[in-house]
Amino acid sequence: MCGIAGLFRPGGADEAQLAGIVERMTAALAHRGPDASGSWISAARGVAFGHRRLAILDLSEAGAQPMHSACGRYTVTFNGEIYNHLDVRAELEAAGAAPNWRGHSDTETLLAAISRWGVEPALQRLIGMFVVGLWDAETRQLILARDRFGEKPLFYGWSGADLVFGSELKALAAHPTWAPSLDRAALTAFMRYSYVPAPATIWTGIRKLPPASFVRFSADVAPDSWPAPQPYWSLRDRVVAAQGDRIADEREAVDRLEQLLSVAVKRQCLSDVPLGAFLSGGVDSSTIVALMQAQSGQPVRTFSIGFAEGCYNEAEDARRVALHLGTDHTELYVDARTAMDVVPKLPRIYDEPFADSSQIPTHLVAQLARRHVTVALSGDAGDELFGGYNRHVWGGTLQARLGRVPMRRAIGVVLGAIAPEPADTVLRALQPLLPARLKVRHAGDQVAKLGRVIAADGFDGLYRALCSIDQDPAGTVLGGIEQESWAGSETRQLAAKLDPLDRMTLADSLSYLSDDILQKVDRAAMAVALETRVPFLDKDVVEFSAKVPSGMKVRDGRGKWLVRQVLYRHVPAEMIDRPKTGFSIPLDAWLRGPLKSWASDLLSPERLRRQGLFDPVRVTRMFDEHVSRRHNHSYWLWNVLMAQAWHDEWARAA
């Protein structure tokens, strides 16, 4: 895992000037690669690459970057891991196309594969997480590429006459002519979803490269031109093609998933440095750890974070699973002050507005793990692939039933007006009377969400309501405008081809997974130079998940049925079957208590008017309603607060 940066000035440039710029850009990513730094400049072509190294495979100088291909045609700066690179090496050797290997790094394998097959065929062979900056000396092209699911970030755009790219926006901001303007459509999308969906960024003229694509910039490219990214793989196409190739035998499906996940775990345990795993005690992380431990001759290192607030604390669940599996477990209980000490760091860590509040415990558990290991596996993506969210469990059923409910909009308004604390009190008293599959944590908030869902129009409206933090973001953002997201466009066109669950999981995988979950983990972990890996996103596992019918994902009011069957082979069901918690913090209480002063300052009407991002009247009303406990607006307010804090940190840099 590393950080990459670079620039391309068509027509050439002064070598010393290029070197100075790329060194500043690369230095901004030192946290991603504390082990070494390198750069390469071709002044005649106007190309400069920078690299910060976190050494994982081949710790010797043979793995240093930027790296040149044996044939001399290609130069690469590369961030990530190619888990099947030994298989790719074997294929090259069998074809008689292997160079005299200098070391055993996956970067060298990547260059040899591109030299042999070309860019697109090489990318199609890779299983891993990566972003690539590649210079082709023969065609005089800069090529940028990103892994299938967007595990690793890549930003690019124009800064004056230079095409700039980097692993994080802060690298681009180090360029001397950096002067972008705020994209209010992106800010509007952020208020709805808590993240900025790709390919947009918070800045006009700067983009995220979409997952599973590459883009070429030729020597004759004009500043501010945008060649279209080319896909080399498509999750949408795999899901559509799988509609006629569903798995029918349940036992076969369980066996196959366990086998594929075991192979993925084995691939991702390849490391020359200490390795462990995050363990929350939930279905996904427990499954990954169970399969790791089954293949390991010694206890796997596992890590979890605990909170004093009982309904947010998963540490006890994780401890029970760790004890059963026999892992070498480390846990850390953090108080509110420790967690809140992370808050001032968030704008610098994420460098565009990002408001998934689980960013705080994610950073803390990464910090804990980094004291002991350099690589950590996680259970991310299980929910998106195998139907693990509440919306997956109830979405299709709700839409079918709500269509028959009279006065549904009026009912939705009433439910939305119920204050969460009384609702929580009543519903908590009823919890012991309910079967386990119907028990819900944070029930008061779920009542408010149900109110929004009941009032929604059609399935697309229902899904959007379930995923939205702000139901009217264009009214919140001054000058705000809403545009259809790339993921929304991709899935809307498939309405007639996919059932409701497939539509929801595909939409979640195309945007929420890549733009929220994976970016949250990447920044939180790389801020402390910890590499994270996601076995559920092994290409073979993902393509298998597309063939799993909805009835093997959601069954009897519970999600991830198939994953649970694999886990039950290793961990007793009673240790796992409990209400879904999510990796969260007591944000609502903190904004009324220890974070109230900080929030009040950021949300003061005068400050809001001065910054000019949000409607001060609406923000003031929402904050007053939250503090007085009339409503729980914590997630909405967190969006505004993260945007305001980001603005304080980065607007001056523009």
Side-chain angles (χ1 to χ4, degrees), residues 438-571:
L438 296 180
K439 293 181 179 179
V440 178
R441 293 178 176 175
H442 318 303
D445 292 340
Q446 297 303 318
V447 169
K449 180 176 283 189
L450 179 61
R452 296 195 299 271
V453 168
I454 287 177
D457 287 324
F459 179 78
D460 288 335
L462 178 145
Y463 174 75
R464 197 180 202 200
L466 287 169
C467 298
S468 297
I469 301 299
D470 189 336
Q471 302 296 321
D472 179 27
T476 301
V477 176
L478 297 176
I481 182 173
E482 278 214 87
Q483 300 172 344
E484 184 175 37
S485 69
W486 170 72
S489 176
E490 285 279 284
T491 53
R492 179 176 49 79
Q493 301 169 33
L494 301 175
K497 296 182 179 180
L498 304 180
D499 68 22
L501 180 59
D502 279 341
R503 287 174 64 189
M504 285 189 286
T505 54
L506 176 60
D508 284 341
S509 297
L510 290 175
S511 187
Y512 179 64
L513 175 63
S514 61
D515 295 329
D516 184 312
I517 301 297
L518 297 177
Q519 302 316 300
K520 172 189 68 181
V521 176
D522 174 83
R523 303 306 191 285
M526 290 310 295
V528 294
L530 177 76
E531 172 171 307
T532 52
R533 299 177 177 179
V534 187
F536 274 108
L537 287 181
D538 182 278
K539 170 180 171 287
D540 296 337
V541 173
V542 174
E543 292 184 346
F544 167 81
S545 75
K547 299 180 181 180
V548 176
S550 295
M552 290 189 204
K553 293 181 178 179
V554 173
R555 182 176 296 186
D556 298 328
R558 180 175 290 159
K560 292 183 292 198
W561 180 86
L562 188 61
V563 181
R564 290 174 187 273
Q565 306 317 301
V566 173
L567 180 56
Y568 294 160
R569 294 178 173 182
H570 302 270
V571 177

Side-chain angles (χ1 to χ4, degrees), residues 292-469:
M292 288 177 71
Q293 191 59 69
Q295 300 178 41
S296 177
Q298 57 188 14
V300 171
R301 296 299 308 262
T302 54
F303 306 92
S304 66
I305 290 288
F307 290 95
E309 293 84 354
C311 61
Y312 294 91
N313 182 37
E314 294 182 300
E316 294 179 3
D317 300 327
R319 189 187 313 126
R320 284 191 288 270
V321 173
L323 183 62
H324 177 80
L325 293 174
T327 71
D328 181 0
H329 190 60
T330 302
E331 65 182 26
L332 175 68
Y333 272 80
V334 296
D335 56 20
R337 175 48 54 196
T338 302
M340 288 184 295
D341 284 344
V342 177
V343 172
K345 304 175 185 176
L346 295 176
R348 193 73 193 174
I349 290 173
Y350 288 92
D351 60 39
E352 77 172 348
F354 185 81
D356 182 334
S357 61
S358 63
Q359 61 203 128
I360 294 175
T362 301
H363 181 68
L364 290 170
V365 76
Q367 202 170 52
L368 172 65
R370 188 62 177 92
R371 298 172 192 165
H372 306 274
V373 300
T374 311
V375 178
L377 274 62
S378 83
D380 290 316
D383 286 313
E384 291 80 7
L385 297 177
F386 292 96
Y389 295 126
N390 290 331
R391 58 180 173 266
H392 301 155
V393 176
W394 300 111
T397 303
L398 273 174
Q399 176 56 27
R401 293 180 178 177
L402 290 176
R404 302 190 295 270
V405 175
M407 300 178 65
R408 54 187 287 187
R409 288 183 177 80
I411 294 172
V413 170
V414 171
L415 289 175
I418 297 174
E421 280 77 7
D424 257 336
T425 301
V426 173
L427 293 168
R428 198 159 38 238
L430 295 175
Q431 293 284 319
L433 305 178
L434 299 174
R437 66 185 179 87
L438 296 180
K439 293 181 179 179
V440 178
R441 293 178 176 175
H442 318 303
D445 292 340
Q446 297 303 318
V447 169
K449 180 176 283 189
L450 179 61
R452 296 195 299 271
V453 168
I454 287 177
D457 287 324
F459 179 78
D460 288 335
L462 178 145
Y463 174 75
R464 197 180 202 200
L466 287 169
C467 298
S468 297
I469 301 299

Side-chain angles (χ1 to χ4, degrees), residues 61-82:
E61 281 300 309
Q65 295 187 50
M67 186 181 291
H68 307 286
S69 64
C71 64
R73 175 176 173 177
Y74 299 104
T75 302
V76 73
T77 183
F78 168 80
N79 167 31
E81 302 290 347
I82 300 171

